[in-house]
Amino acid sequence: MNELLGLKGLNVVWLSKTDLTNLNAGEGESNYIDIKKYKKDGIEYPYVSGQAMRFYLKEAMRRSLEEKEYMCIPDDKGETCGEINKCLMCDLFGFMKPSKGKGAVTRVSPVKVSPAIGLLPFDENANVDFLTRRHRVSEGAKMEGDIVNIEIGTNIYKSGISIDMRRVGGEEEVKEEKRTISIKNAVESPEKIIRVKKTLDALRYLADYSKQARLLTDFSPDLIAVSVQKKYSHRLQKLFDLNNGRELNIQRLNEILSDVSEYSDTILFGMVSGIVKNEAEVKKAVEAKGIQVKTPSEVINEAKNLVK
Ligand SMILES: [Zn+2]
């Protein structure tokens, strides 16, 4: 099949309910570990940065590498290998690499990752806890500890990824004389498919968030929608709108599903119970669109089978 006529976009958007936790990357040296927050209409909500989410996704993929597969580890300057034919990380997540005489070679990430946005107000769902951080002051000295205050909270986070299918395993090639851009494939189609499937699979096994030694939590999808698209668009990311009473906006759900289904081969929807209050209504609305409601893991497995 001519690839230009095939799949162009794959979008995943999901909600994940967390127990008491703090998901920002890195503890730093500060004695107060806060939760990153954004403000909407004067009210604070927590979020986890897109950078941290990318890191969690990469680490989930790294755990699933087969023996012959490869993901480089960034060097001390944060530079990666840049070999997209063999390195899954450089291919899927892009890179910027200084190159002699050319300035820098940049690859835009074909896998786009959103920040995880807390949808419930921070104040009503958070607390400050403290922990003791131990460190050795000098060689041979006894361990000393200091008290660190840490903000922790529960919330329902919305996250998403969008995969630019044509660019996975391929490089943009600018043809100066014709003034056109085309995609030059660095890997064969079966390898591209494996890489997309691995990205989807990683969503089920997100686990390497910060501070899990003390704040073990699950941050994988509880409600999820996947669209397998003939056009590249990020529209599905607007699917979930939650009010403070934990009810999903059904009208929004209908509008976005109608919109995205115009250019999608398939839309999949999964949900576990006890996350949103109006789950019966959600199920009814989704099924009215001819979409069967499954569990998130069934949805991810089915999406993997649709990538061909
Ligand atoms: Zn690499």
Side-chain angles (χ1 to χ4, degrees), residues 220-255:
S220 58
D222 292 319
L223 265 79
I224 189 170
V226 181
S227 56
V228 182
Q229 304 176 184
K230 287 179 286 216
K231 287 193 188 295
Y232 185 80
S233 130
H234 295 166
R235 192 71 173 140
L236 190 77
Q237 304 296 328
K238 290 256 170 63
L239 186 69
F240 294 130
D241 178 34
L242 193 77
N243 68 19
N244 292 353
R246 302 185 184 219
E247 286 173 329
L248 268 189
N249 181 338
I250 300 293
Q251 198 179 340
R252 170 73 73 83
L253 200 72
N254 276 322
E255 288 160 354

PDB file of all heavy atoms in Angstrom, residues 220-255:
ATOM      1  N   SER A 220      -1.021   4.672  35.377  1.00  0.00           N
ATOM      2  CA  SER A 220      -1.341   4.213  34.027  1.00  0.00           C
ATOM      3  C   SER A 220      -2.825   4.502  33.758  1.00  0.00           C
ATOM      4  O   SER A 220      -3.583   4.842  34.663  1.00  0.00           O
ATOM      5  CB  SER A 220      -0.972   2.731  33.885  1.00  0.00           C
ATOM      6  OG  SER A 220      -1.651   1.960  34.823  1.00  0.00           O
ATOM      7  N   PRO A 221      -3.276   4.395  32.504  1.00  0.00           N
ATOM      8  CA  PRO A 221      -4.623   4.867  32.141  1.00  0.00           C
ATOM      9  C   PRO A 221      -5.780   4.130  32.823  1.00  0.00           C
ATOM     10  O   PRO A 221      -5.802   2.906  32.889  1.00  0.00           O
ATOM     11  CB  PRO A 221      -4.662   4.619  30.628  1.00  0.00           C
ATOM     12  CG  PRO A 221      -3.233   4.627  30.190  1.00  0.00           C
ATOM     13  CD  PRO A 221      -2.489   4.013  31.319  1.00  0.00           C
ATOM     14  N   ASP A 222      -6.750   4.902  33.327  1.00  0.00           N
ATOM     15  CA  ASP A 222      -7.993   4.356  33.879  1.00  0.00           C
ATOM     16  C   ASP A 222      -9.152   4.553  32.901  1.00  0.00           C
ATOM     17  O   ASP A 222     -10.054   3.724  32.816  1.00  0.00           O
ATOM     18  CB  ASP A 222      -8.341   5.040  35.202  1.00  0.00           C
ATOM     19  CG  ASP A 222      -7.349   4.681  36.307  1.00  0.00           C
ATOM     20  OD1 ASP A 222      -6.964   3.499  36.386  1.00  0.00           O
ATOM     21  OD2 ASP A 222      -6.956   5.574  37.058  1.00  0.00           O
ATOM     22  N   LEU A 223      -9.155   5.694  32.235  1.00  0.00           N
ATOM     23  CA  LEU A 223     -10.075   5.915  31.101  1.00  0.00           C
ATOM     24  C   LEU A 223      -9.176   6.223  29.919  1.00  0.00           C
ATOM     25  O   LEU A 223      -8.207   6.975  30.071  1.00  0.00           O
ATOM     26  CB  LEU A 223     -10.986   7.135  31.326  1.00  0.00           C
ATOM     27  CG  LEU A 223     -12.369   6.856  31.924  1.00  0.00           C
ATOM     28  CD1 LEU A 223     -12.212   6.656  33.415  1.00  0.00           C
ATOM     29  CD2 LEU A 223     -13.319   7.999  31.646  1.00  0.00           C
ATOM     30  N   ILE A 224      -9.485   5.656  28.775  1.00  0.00           N
ATOM     31  CA  ILE A 224      -8.578   5.858  27.641  1.00  0.00           C
ATOM     32  C   ILE A 224      -9.365   5.885  26.339  1.00  0.00           C
ATOM     33  O   ILE A 224     -10.392   5.204  26.219  1.00  0.00           O
ATOM     34  CB  ILE A 224      -7.503   4.729  27.606  1.00  0.00           C
ATOM     35  CG1 ILE A 224      -6.398   5.027  26.576  1.00  0.00           C
ATOM     36  CG2 ILE A 224      -8.124   3.375  27.305  1.00  0.00           C
ATOM     37  CD1 ILE A 224      -5.214   4.086  26.677  1.00  0.00           C
ATOM     38  N   ALA A 225      -8.910   6.707  25.407  1.00  0.00           N
ATOM     39  CA  ALA A 225      -9.451   6.665  24.053  1.00  0.00           C
ATOM     40  C   ALA A 225      -8.277   6.658  23.086  1.00  0.00           C
ATOM     41  O   ALA A 225      -7.263   7.325  23.323  1.00  0.00           O
ATOM     42  CB  ALA A 225     -10.345   7.866  23.793  1.00  0.00           C
ATOM     43  N   VAL A 226      -8.396   5.856  22.039  1.00  0.00           N
ATOM     44  CA  VAL A 226      -7.356   5.777  21.008  1.00  0.00           C
ATOM     45  C   VAL A 226      -8.027   6.005  19.662  1.00  0.00           C
ATOM     46  O   VAL A 226      -9.073   5.410  19.382  1.00  0.00           O
ATOM     47  CB  VAL A 226      -6.683   4.378  20.990  1.00  0.00           C
ATOM     48  CG1 VAL A 226      -5.583   4.319  19.931  1.00  0.00           C
ATOM     49  CG2 VAL A 226      -6.126   4.020  22.352  1.00  0.00           C
ATOM     50  N   SER A 227      -7.444   6.855  18.836  1.00  0.00           N
ATOM     51  CA  SER A 227      -7.967   7.012  17.473  1.00  0.00           C
ATOM     52  C   SER A 227      -6.881   6.653  16.474  1.00  0.00           C
ATOM     53  O   SER A 227      -5.733   7.078  16.602  1.00  0.00           O
ATOM     54  CB  SER A 227      -8.459   8.441  17.239  1.00  0.00           C
ATOM     55  OG  SER A 227      -7.435   9.364  17.501  1.00  0.00           O
ATOM     56  N   VAL A 228      -7.264   5.825  15.517  1.00  0.00           N
ATOM     57  CA  VAL A 228      -6.357   5.415  14.443  1.00  0.00           C
ATOM     58  C   VAL A 228      -6.782   6.225  13.226  1.00  0.00           C
ATOM     59  O   VAL A 228      -7.842   5.989  12.661  1.00  0.00           O
ATOM     60  CB  VAL A 228      -6.477   3.898  14.187  1.00  0.00           C
ATOM     61  CG1 VAL A 228      -5.510   3.451  13.118  1.00  0.00           C
ATOM     62  CG2 VAL A 228      -6.250   3.125  15.479  1.00  0.00           C
ATOM     63  N   GLN A 229      -5.970   7.231  12.845  1.00  0.00           N
ATOM     64  CA  GLN A 229      -6.429   8.294  11.969  1.00  0.00           C
ATOM     65  C   GLN A 229      -5.817   8.278  10.566  1.00  0.00           C
ATOM     66  O   GLN A 229      -4.660   7.946  10.391  1.00  0.00           O
ATOM     67  CB  GLN A 229      -6.105   9.655  12.625  1.00  0.00           C
ATOM     68  CG  GLN A 229      -6.689   9.794  14.005  1.00  0.00           C
ATOM     69  CD  GLN A 229      -6.302  11.095  14.710  1.00  0.00           C
ATOM     70  OE1 GLN A 229      -6.658  11.281  15.854  1.00  0.00           O
ATOM     71  NE2 GLN A 229      -5.592  11.983  14.041  1.00  0.00           N
ATOM     72  N   LYS A 230      -6.638   8.733   9.622  1.00  0.00           N
ATOM     73  CA  LYS A 230      -6.152   8.893   8.246  1.00  0.00           C
ATOM     74  C   LYS A 230      -5.565  10.282   8.028  1.00  0.00           C
ATOM     75  O   LYS A 230      -4.971  10.568   7.008  1.00  0.00           O
ATOM     76  CB  LYS A 230      -7.296   8.657   7.261  1.00  0.00           C
ATOM     77  CG  LYS A 230      -7.681   7.183   7.163  1.00  0.00           C
ATOM     78  CD  LYS A 230      -8.820   6.968   6.217  1.00  0.00           C
ATOM     79  CE  LYS A 230     -10.105   7.445   6.845  1.00  0.00           C
ATOM     80  NZ  LYS A 230     -11.291   6.646   6.526  1.00  0.00           N
ATOM     81  N   LYS A 231      -5.805  11.159   9.003  1.00  0.00           N
ATOM     82  CA  LYS A 231      -5.205  12.495   8.944  1.00  0.00           C
ATOM     83  C   LYS A 231      -4.449  12.729  10.238  1.00  0.00           C
ATOM     84  O   LYS A 231      -4.799  12.183  11.276  1.00  0.00           O
ATOM     85  CB  LYS A 231      -6.281  13.566   8.787  1.00  0.00           C
ATOM     86  CG  LYS A 231      -6.890  13.598   7.408  1.00  0.00           C
ATOM     87  CD  LYS A 231      -7.690  14.871   7.229  1.00  0.00           C
ATOM     88  CE  LYS A 231      -8.467  14.862   5.941  1.00  0.00           C
ATOM     89  NZ  LYS A 231      -7.600  14.846   4.752  1.00  0.00           N
ATOM     90  N   TYR A 232      -3.436  13.573  10.149  1.00  0.00           N
ATOM     91  CA  TYR A 232      -2.694  13.898  11.351  1.00  0.00           C
ATOM     92  C   TYR A 232      -3.368  15.064  12.063  1.00  0.00           C
ATOM     93  O   TYR A 232      -3.513  16.142  11.493  1.00  0.00           O
ATOM     94  CB  TYR A 232      -1.232  14.248  11.033  1.00  0.00           C
ATOM     95  CG  TYR A 232      -0.462  14.459  12.300  1.00  0.00           C
ATOM     96  CD1 TYR A 232       0.015  13.369  13.020  1.00  0.00           C
ATOM     97  CD2 TYR A 232      -0.294  15.723  12.828  1.00  0.00           C
ATOM     98  CE1 TYR A 232       0.647  13.538  14.235  1.00  0.00           C
ATOM     99  CE2 TYR A 232       0.340  15.908  14.043  1.00  0.00           C
ATOM    100  CZ  TYR A 232       0.812  14.811  14.734  1.00  0.00           C
ATOM    101  OH  TYR A 232       1.424  14.986  15.942  1.00  0.00           O
ATOM    102  N   SER A 233      -3.834  14.848  13.290  1.00  0.00           N
ATOM    103  CA  SER A 233      -4.476  15.910  14.063  1.00  0.00           C
ATOM    104  C   SER A 233      -4.382  15.568  15.545  1.00  0.00           C
ATOM    105  O   SER A 233      -4.243  14.393  15.905  1.00  0.00           O
ATOM    106  CB  SER A 233      -5.947  16.020  13.626  1.00  0.00           C
ATOM    107  OG  SER A 233      -6.809  16.008  14.733  1.00  0.00           O
ATOM    108  N   HIS A 234      -4.456  16.583  16.383  1.00  0.00           N
ATOM    109  CA  HIS A 234      -4.383  16.363  17.836  1.00  0.00           C
ATOM    110  C   HIS A 234      -5.753  16.480  18.503  1.00  0.00           C
ATOM    111  O   HIS A 234      -5.861  16.575  19.713  1.00  0.00           O
ATOM    112  CB  HIS A 234      -3.452  17.398  18.486  1.00  0.00           C
ATOM    113  CG  HIS A 234      -2.027  17.292  18.065  1.00  0.00           C
ATOM    114  ND1 HIS A 234      -1.094  18.269  18.303  1.00  0.00           N
ATOM    115  CD2 HIS A 234      -1.360  16.308  17.413  1.00  0.00           C
ATOM    116  CE1 HIS A 234       0.077  17.909  17.819  1.00  0.00           C
ATOM    117  NE2 HIS A 234      -0.055  16.719  17.265  1.00  0.00           N
ATOM    118  N   ARG A 235      -6.803  16.527  17.702  1.00  0.00           N
ATOM    119  CA  ARG A 235      -8.131  16.858  18.201  1.00  0.00           C
ATOM    120  C   ARG A 235      -8.627  15.968  19.338  1.00  0.00           C
ATOM    121  O   ARG A 235      -9.326  16.430  20.244  1.00  0.00           O
ATOM    122  CB  ARG A 235      -9.113  16.777  17.008  1.00  0.00           C
ATOM    123  CG  ARG A 235     -10.472  17.350  17.287  1.00  0.00           C
ATOM    124  CD  ARG A 235     -10.411  18.844  17.377  1.00  0.00           C
ATOM    125  NE  ARG A 235     -11.722  19.451  17.486  1.00  0.00           N
ATOM    126  CZ  ARG A 235     -11.967  20.488  18.280  1.00  0.00           C
ATOM    127  NH1 ARG A 235     -11.007  21.016  19.000  1.00  0.00           N
ATOM    128  NH2 ARG A 235     -13.169  21.011  18.318  1.00  0.00           N
ATOM    129  N   LEU A 236      -8.284  14.693  19.298  1.00  0.00           N
ATOM    130  CA  LEU A 236      -8.775  13.761  20.317  1.00  0.00           C
ATOM    131  C   LEU A 236      -8.362  14.183  21.737  1.00  0.00           C
ATOM    132  O   LEU A 236      -9.016  13.812  22.712  1.00  0.00           O
ATOM    133  CB  LEU A 236      -8.267  12.340  20.029  1.00  0.00           C
ATOM    134  CG  LEU A 236      -8.908  11.247  20.894  1.00  0.00           C
ATOM    135  CD1 LEU A 236     -10.319  10.908  20.401  1.00  0.00           C
ATOM    136  CD2 LEU A 236      -8.061   9.987  20.946  1.00  0.00           C
ATOM    137  N   GLN A 237      -7.282  14.956  21.813  1.00  0.00           N
ATOM    138  CA  GLN A 237      -6.770  15.363  23.137  1.00  0.00           C
ATOM    139  C   GLN A 237      -7.782  16.195  23.939  1.00  0.00           C
ATOM    140  O   GLN A 237      -7.642  16.362  25.144  1.00  0.00           O
ATOM    141  CB  GLN A 237      -5.453  16.146  22.985  1.00  0.00           C
ATOM    142  CG  GLN A 237      -4.354  15.409  22.226  1.00  0.00           C
ATOM    143  CD  GLN A 237      -3.883  14.145  22.922  1.00  0.00           C
ATOM    144  OE1 GLN A 237      -3.893  14.066  24.139  1.00  0.00           O
ATOM    145  NE2 GLN A 237      -3.499  13.141  22.139  1.00  0.00           N
ATOM    146  N   LYS A 238      -8.799  16.735  23.270  1.00  0.00           N
ATOM    147  CA  LYS A 238      -9.820  17.546  23.959  1.00  0.00           C
ATOM    148  C   LYS A 238     -11.002  16.711  24.474  1.00  0.00           C
ATOM    149  O   LYS A 238     -11.996  17.261  24.946  1.00  0.00           O
ATOM    150  CB  LYS A 238     -10.373  18.608  22.992  1.00  0.00           C
ATOM    151  CG  LYS A 238      -9.401  19.707  22.656  1.00  0.00           C
ATOM    152  CD  LYS A 238      -9.763  20.993  23.404  1.00  0.00           C
ATOM    153  CE  LYS A 238      -8.688  22.032  23.271  1.00  0.00           C
ATOM    154  NZ  LYS A 238      -8.463  22.472  21.903  1.00  0.00           N
ATOM    155  N   LEU A 239     -10.920  15.392  24.346  1.00  0.00           N
ATOM    156  CA  LEU A 239     -12.076  14.537  24.637  1.00  0.00           C
ATOM    157  C   LEU A 239     -12.589  14.639  26.074  1.00  0.00           C
ATOM    158  O   LEU A 239     -13.788  14.662  26.311  1.00  0.00           O
ATOM    159  CB  LEU A 239     -11.693  13.077  24.329  1.00  0.00           C
ATOM    160  CG  LEU A 239     -12.791  12.041  24.422  1.00  0.00           C
ATOM    161  CD1 LEU A 239     -13.804  12.231  23.294  1.00  0.00           C
ATOM    162  CD2 LEU A 239     -12.209  10.627  24.347  1.00  0.00           C
ATOM    163  N   PHE A 240     -11.663  14.679  27.028  1.00  0.00           N
ATOM    164  CA  PHE A 240     -12.066  14.583  28.431  1.00  0.00           C
ATOM    165  C   PHE A 240     -12.118  15.948  29.117  1.00  0.00           C
ATOM    166  O   PHE A 240     -11.103  16.617  29.262  1.00  0.00           O
ATOM    167  CB  PHE A 240     -11.091  13.679  29.198  1.00  0.00           C
ATOM    168  CG  PHE A 240     -11.112  12.243  28.757  1.00  0.00           C
ATOM    169  CD1 PHE A 240      -9.929  11.582  28.445  1.00  0.00           C
ATOM    170  CD2 PHE A 240     -12.304  11.547  28.662  1.00  0.00           C
ATOM    171  CE1 PHE A 240      -9.939  10.243  28.059  1.00  0.00           C
ATOM    172  CE2 PHE A 240     -12.330  10.191  28.268  1.00  0.00           C
ATOM    173  CZ  PHE A 240     -11.143   9.550  27.965  1.00  0.00           C
ATOM    174  N   ASP A 241     -13.300  16.329  29.541  1.00  0.00           N
ATOM    175  CA  ASP A 241     -13.486  17.553  30.310  1.00  0.00           C
ATOM    176  C   ASP A 241     -14.225  17.144  31.590  1.00  0.00           C
ATOM    177  O   ASP A 241     -15.345  16.650  31.533  1.00  0.00           O
ATOM    178  CB  ASP A 241     -14.321  18.534  29.457  1.00  0.00           C
ATOM    179  CG  ASP A 241     -14.623  19.827  30.195  1.00  0.00           C
ATOM    180  OD1 ASP A 241     -13.767  20.263  30.988  1.00  0.00           O
ATOM    181  OD2 ASP A 241     -15.719  20.395  29.983  1.00  0.00           O
ATOM    182  N   LEU A 242     -13.553  17.322  32.725  1.00  0.00           N
ATOM    183  CA  LEU A 242     -14.088  16.819  33.999  1.00  0.00           C
ATOM    184  C   LEU A 242     -14.437  17.986  34.902  1.00  0.00           C
ATOM    185  O   LEU A 242     -13.645  18.910  35.049  1.00  0.00           O
ATOM    186  CB  LEU A 242     -13.013  15.950  34.671  1.00  0.00           C
ATOM    187  CG  LEU A 242     -13.427  15.078  35.838  1.00  0.00           C
ATOM    188  CD1 LEU A 242     -14.170  13.842  35.344  1.00  0.00           C
ATOM    189  CD2 LEU A 242     -12.204  14.647  36.645  1.00  0.00           C
ATOM    190  N   ASN A 243     -15.591  17.959  35.537  1.00  0.00           N
ATOM    191  CA  ASN A 243     -15.905  19.033  36.495  1.00  0.00           C
ATOM    192  C   ASN A 243     -15.470  18.624  37.906  1.00  0.00           C
ATOM    193  O   ASN A 243     -15.030  17.495  38.127  1.00  0.00           O
ATOM    194  CB  ASN A 243     -17.393  19.437  36.413  1.00  0.00           C
ATOM    195  CG  ASN A 243     -18.330  18.341  36.914  1.00  0.00           C
ATOM    196  OD1 ASN A 243     -17.910  17.423  37.632  1.00  0.00           O
ATOM    197  ND2 ASN A 243     -19.592  18.427  36.557  1.00  0.00           N
ATOM    198  N   ASN A 244     -15.602  19.564  38.859  1.00  0.00           N
ATOM    199  CA  ASN A 244     -15.105  19.280  40.204  1.00  0.00           C
ATOM    200  C   ASN A 244     -15.882  18.175  40.913  1.00  0.00           C
ATOM    201  O   ASN A 244     -15.424  17.627  41.911  1.00  0.00           O
ATOM    202  CB  ASN A 244     -15.119  20.552  41.060  1.00  0.00           C
ATOM    203  CG  ASN A 244     -14.091  21.548  40.562  1.00  0.00           C
ATOM    204  OD1 ASN A 244     -13.302  21.224  39.666  1.00  0.00           O
ATOM    205  ND2 ASN A 244     -14.097  22.750  41.116  1.00  0.00           N
ATOM    206  N   GLY A 245     -17.071  17.879  40.411  1.00  0.00           N
ATOM    207  CA  GLY A 245     -17.840  16.769  40.963  1.00  0.00           C
ATOM    208  C   GLY A 245     -17.465  15.445  40.311  1.00  0.00           C
ATOM    209  O   GLY A 245     -18.176  14.450  40.455  1.00  0.00           O
ATOM    210  N   ARG A 246     -16.350  15.412  39.573  1.00  0.00           N
ATOM    211  CA  ARG A 246     -15.827  14.204  38.904  1.00  0.00           C
ATOM    212  C   ARG A 246     -16.777  13.652  37.858  1.00  0.00           C
ATOM    213  O   ARG A 246     -16.871  12.438  37.646  1.00  0.00           O
ATOM    214  CB  ARG A 246     -15.486  13.099  39.916  1.00  0.00           C
ATOM    215  CG  ARG A 246     -14.482  13.578  40.925  1.00  0.00           C
ATOM    216  CD  ARG A 246     -14.024  12.499  41.858  1.00  0.00           C
ATOM    217  NE  ARG A 246     -13.137  13.119  42.845  1.00  0.00           N
ATOM    218  CZ  ARG A 246     -12.033  12.565  43.313  1.00  0.00           C
ATOM    219  NH1 ARG A 246     -11.673  11.390  42.908  1.00  0.00           N
ATOM    220  NH2 ARG A 246     -11.281  13.211  44.186  1.00  0.00           N
ATOM    221  N   GLU A 247     -17.537  14.553  37.244  1.00  0.00           N
ATOM    222  CA  GLU A 247     -18.400  14.119  36.153  1.00  0.00           C
ATOM    223  C   GLU A 247     -17.794  14.551  34.827  1.00  0.00           C
ATOM    224  O   GLU A 247     -17.374  15.704  34.674  1.00  0.00           O
ATOM    225  CB  GLU A 247     -19.784  14.766  36.288  1.00  0.00           C
ATOM    226  CG  GLU A 247     -20.605  14.154  37.398  1.00  0.00           C
ATOM    227  CD  GLU A 247     -21.896  14.928  37.633  1.00  0.00           C
ATOM    228  OE1 GLU A 247     -21.914  16.156  37.412  1.00  0.00           O
ATOM    229  OE2 GLU A 247     -22.877  14.302  38.040  1.00  0.00           O
ATOM    230  N   LEU A 248     -17.774  13.632  33.878  1.00  0.00           N
ATOM    231  CA  LEU A 248     -17.264  13.968  32.542  1.00  0.00           C
ATOM    232  C   LEU A 248     -18.334  14.714  31.766  1.00  0.00           C
ATOM    233  O   LEU A 248     -19.515  14.401  31.864  1.00  0.00           O
ATOM    234  CB  LEU A 248     -16.913  12.700  31.765  1.00  0.00           C
ATOM    235  CG  LEU A 248     -15.500  12.154  31.822  1.00  0.00           C
ATOM    236  CD1 LEU A 248     -15.359  11.039  30.799  1.00  0.00           C
ATOM    237  CD2 LEU A 248     -14.447  13.225  31.578  1.00  0.00           C
ATOM    238  N   ASN A 249     -17.898  15.692  30.999  1.00  0.00           N
ATOM    239  CA  ASN A 249     -18.780  16.475  30.145  1.00  0.00           C
ATOM    240  C   ASN A 249     -19.200  15.610  28.933  1.00  0.00           C
ATOM    241  O   ASN A 249     -18.388  15.316  28.059  1.00  0.00           O
ATOM    242  CB  ASN A 249     -17.999  17.726  29.701  1.00  0.00           C
ATOM    243  CG  ASN A 249     -18.796  18.640  28.821  1.00  0.00           C
ATOM    244  OD1 ASN A 249     -19.768  18.233  28.186  1.00  0.00           O
ATOM    245  ND2 ASN A 249     -18.367  19.889  28.758  1.00  0.00           N
ATOM    246  N   ILE A 250     -20.464  15.181  28.948  1.00  0.00           N
ATOM    247  CA  ILE A 250     -20.951  14.243  27.923  1.00  0.00           C
ATOM    248  C   ILE A 250     -21.076  14.929  26.558  1.00  0.00           C
ATOM    249  O   ILE A 250     -20.784  14.339  25.521  1.00  0.00           O
ATOM    250  CB  ILE A 250     -22.316  13.646  28.333  1.00  0.00           C
ATOM    251  CG1 ILE A 250     -22.188  12.899  29.672  1.00  0.00           C
ATOM    252  CG2 ILE A 250     -22.862  12.711  27.255  1.00  0.00           C
ATOM    253  CD1 ILE A 250     -21.349  11.648  29.635  1.00  0.00           C
ATOM    254  N   GLN A 251     -21.467  16.194  26.592  1.00  0.00           N
ATOM    255  CA  GLN A 251     -21.608  16.909  25.323  1.00  0.00           C
ATOM    256  C   GLN A 251     -20.253  17.018  24.614  1.00  0.00           C
ATOM    257  O   GLN A 251     -20.135  16.780  23.411  1.00  0.00           O
ATOM    258  CB  GLN A 251     -22.195  18.296  25.574  1.00  0.00           C
ATOM    259  CG  GLN A 251     -22.772  18.902  24.317  1.00  0.00           C
ATOM    260  CD  GLN A 251     -23.379  20.273  24.563  1.00  0.00           C
ATOM    261  OE1 GLN A 251     -23.702  20.625  25.702  1.00  0.00           O
ATOM    262  NE2 GLN A 251     -23.512  21.048  23.514  1.00  0.00           N
ATOM    263  N   ARG A 252     -19.219  17.353  25.387  1.00  0.00           N
ATOM    264  CA  ARG A 252     -17.867  17.433  24.835  1.00  0.00           C
ATOM    265  C   ARG A 252     -17.453  16.078  24.248  1.00  0.00           C
ATOM    266  O   ARG A 252     -16.893  15.994  23.154  1.00  0.00           O
ATOM    267  CB  ARG A 252     -16.891  17.852  25.938  1.00  0.00           C
ATOM    268  CG  ARG A 252     -15.417  17.744  25.564  1.00  0.00           C
ATOM    269  CD  ARG A 252     -14.992  18.830  24.607  1.00  0.00           C
ATOM    270  NE  ARG A 252     -14.900  20.094  25.295  1.00  0.00           N
ATOM    271  CZ  ARG A 252     -13.830  20.490  26.012  1.00  0.00           C
ATOM    272  NH1 ARG A 252     -12.762  19.741  26.066  1.00  0.00           N
ATOM    273  NH2 ARG A 252     -13.832  21.638  26.643  1.00  0.00           N
ATOM    274  N   LEU A 253     -17.750  15.029  24.997  1.00  0.00           N
ATOM    275  CA  LEU A 253     -17.408  13.670  24.550  1.00  0.00           C
ATOM    276  C   LEU A 253     -18.032  13.403  23.175  1.00  0.00           C
ATOM    277  O   LEU A 253     -17.363  12.941  22.244  1.00  0.00           O
ATOM    278  CB  LEU A 253     -17.949  12.684  25.588  1.00  0.00           C
ATOM    279  CG  LEU A 253     -17.374  11.286  25.652  1.00  0.00           C
ATOM    280  CD1 LEU A 253     -15.973  11.306  26.230  1.00  0.00           C
ATOM    281  CD2 LEU A 253     -18.254  10.401  26.540  1.00  0.00           C
ATOM    282  N   ASN A 254     -19.317  13.728  23.060  1.00  0.00           N
ATOM    283  CA  ASN A 254     -20.035  13.530  21.790  1.00  0.00           C
ATOM    284  C   ASN A 254     -19.428  14.341  20.662  1.00  0.00           C
ATOM    285  O   ASN A 254     -19.230  13.836  19.552  1.00  0.00           O
ATOM    286  CB  ASN A 254     -21.500  13.951  21.955  1.00  0.00           C
ATOM    287  CG  ASN A 254     -22.326  12.827  22.547  1.00  0.00           C
ATOM    288  OD1 ASN A 254     -22.104  11.668  22.217  1.00  0.00           O
ATOM    289  ND2 ASN A 254     -23.253  13.166  23.432  1.00  0.00           N
ATOM    290  N   GLU A 255     -19.146  15.619  20.951  1.00  0.00           N
ATOM    291  CA  GLU A 255     -18.637  16.519  19.911  1.00  0.00           C
ATOM    292  C   GLU A 255     -17.285  16.051  19.376  1.00  0.00           C
ATOM    293  O   GLU A 255     -17.065  16.002  18.157  1.00  0.00           O
ATOM    294  CB  GLU A 255     -18.512  17.951  20.468  1.00  0.00           C
ATOM    295  CG  GLU A 255     -19.863  18.618  20.681  1.00  0.00           C
ATOM    296  CD  GLU A 255     -19.821  19.791  21.659  1.00  0.00           C
ATOM    297  OE1 GLU A 255     -18.770  20.039  22.279  1.00  0.00           O
ATOM    298  OE2 GLU A 255     -20.864  20.444  21.822  1.00  0.00           O
TER     299      GLU A 255
END
